[in-house]
Amino acid sequence: MTTPDVRGSSEELGMLEVYGAPFSTFTRTITMALHHLQLPFVFRHHPPHSSEIKAHNPLGLVPVLVHRPNPLFSPKQTSHVALPQIVLYESNAIRRYIDDALSTIAHGKGNKVSELNPALDSREPQALLKTAALRASVDQIVSIASTTVFTALEARIIKVRQSLEQNKADEATIGVAVEEAMEGGQLVLDLLEGFIKENQQANGAHGDWFVGDDLSWADLYVYPILADLKSIPEGPKLLSKTPLVAKWVERMEAAAPAKATYAHTVPDMRKKQGAAQ
Ligand SMILES: N[C@@H](CCC(=O)N[C@@H](CS)C(=O)NCC(=O)O)C(=O)O
């Protein structure tokens, strides 16, 4: 995973650190968002439950975001009152902080990047309802990705295969071990296919994303899981039945935030190890 040059930190932003592991899908969601917003951060590579993570998150889970609004090295510190360091864990809390604080700073810096939520249009009731529903759809997919999709694909298929491979199990054994979970995997991919289809029907050529006409948190929560899925033999089998999702994965993997966060992910490590794809 690339670490943008810390000298890119600005006085308005201070210093951002993400503690986590590149193989962690929740970590990748957050680092992809920061890359998209062109906000420089330092990546602190530590596995879940390590002492470095537990020092910030009693649950030991990654990612953790640390924001020092007034870094000691800031050459032009104007405030005499040092702002407290902000430590956040649970990607959803980090997401809110990025939306409410960091995204605003990114736009203040003149970064030409889109927001990660559809804008709320409150000029008239109909527009308000429509745009509020779109924003709620982003939250709906984020919630589904964090629970149902993560469990069905990451916990029941990807992690099972990875751990059996580590124990030198043969393909037949792995096939039997994940067989039952394949049906659940297909169900969640069908669900995701339905979201993209619905968005394409609503937005035509612009419906290439999960919600609305641009990249949103919905895409950033689903993508790391599907990137992992695509890198194991079960992935192409499942994705061949959901062509819209398969195309969306291709579009996402070609985008800058996915490329910037690829190193040391599950797909990267499998490729380097020559593991079954
Ligand atoms: N609800 C948490 C979930 C974070 C999470 O489960 N992270 C995984 C890595 S993707 C982890 O730390 N796993 C270690 C464990 O479950 O013990 C969030 O949204 O941040």
Side-chain angles (χ1 to χ4, degrees):
M1 184 166 302
T2 54
T3 298
D5 189 343
V6 69
R7 285 168 300 178
S9 292
S10 63
E11 200 175 333
E12 318 91 280
L13 179 64
M15 180 158 165
L16 274 180
E17 294 167 289
V18 177
Y19 283 71
F23 68 76
S24 148
T25 59
F26 289 100
T27 301
R28 196 173 183 197
T29 294
I30 296 303
T31 53
M32 283 178 75
L34 295 176
H35 277 288
H36 171 76
L37 294 167
Q38 298 172 9
L39 290 168
F41 63 96
V42 176
F43 189 69
R44 306 278 187 213
H45 187 164
H46 298 289
H49 307 293
S50 57
S51 53
E52 292 83 356
I53 299 300
K54 282 193 179 150
H56 297 299
N57 177 359
L59 299 172
L61 303 180
V62 294
V64 174
L65 181 81
V66 178
H67 185 204
R68 299 173 212 278
N70 284 331
L72 287 175
F73 58 78
S74 174
K76 290 186 276 169
Q77 195 161 326
T78 50
S79 166
H80 295 295
V81 185
L83 294 169
Q85 165 180 295
I86 290 147
V87 179
L88 292 168
Y89 52 87
E90 286 298 312
S91 61
N92 221 12
I94 299 172
R95 173 168 82 107
R96 174 176 285 278
Y97 188 68
I98 290 175
D99 282 343
D100 289 352
L102 303 182
S103 173
T104 309
I105 294 173
H107 288 92
K109 275 156 62 77
N111 297 0
K112 297 262 177 289
V113 290
S114 58
E115 297 276 354
L116 288 167
N117 299 292
L120 197 62
D121 181 352
S122 53
R123 283 172 301 176
E124 45 145 304
Q126 266 203 336
L128 176 65
L129 294 186
K130 191 175 166 210
T131 52
L134 276 184
R135 287 162 73 89
S137 297
V138 169
D139 288 1
Q140 178 176 280
I141 295 175
V142 163
S143 180
I144 292 170
S146 310
T147 54
T148 316
V149 179
F150 184 84
T151 305
L153 300 179
E154 203 69 49
R156 301 219 169 111
I157 300 180
I158 300 159
K159 282 191 171 50
V160 172
R161 162 169 279 279
Q162 294 260 99
S163 91
L164 285 170
E165 281 179 357
Q166 266 163 23
N167 290 326
K168 310 266 180 272
D170 58 28
E171 277 301 313
T173 308
I174 298 172
V176 171
V178 298
E179 196 179 352
E180 226 177 286
M182 290 292 275
E183 199 181 321
Q186 197 66 65
L187 280 176
V188 299
L189 285 182
D190 290 346
L191 181 74
L192 297 175
E193 182 86 352
F195 288 134
I196 298 181
K197 190 181 264 178
E198 206 178 294
N199 197 32
Q200 285 189 346
Q201 280 161 0
N203 283 299
H206 297 290
D208 285 346
W209 311 101
F210 270 105
V211 180
D213 56 7
D214 222 329
L215 179 84
S216 75
W217 283 108
D219 303 284
L220 296 182
Y221 266 79
V222 176
Y223 175 71
I225 304 170
L226 293 202
D228 288 1
L229 180 72
K230 192 176 168 178
S231 73
I232 63 168
E234 289 71 24
K237 281 183 214 155
L238 292 171
L239 286 164
S240 68
K241 295 179 191 137
T242 51
L244 298 178
V245 175
K247 267 254 167 290
W248 169 86
V249 172
E250 279 173 24
R251 274 196 302 279
M252 286 295 292
E253 64 197 2
K259 287 188 175 160
T261 56
Y262 176 75
H264 309 296
T265 57
V266 168
D268 184 36
M269 290 187 299
R270 293 186 67 81
K271 201 167 183 186
K272 285 187 182 135
Q273 289 159 2
Q277 300 284 311

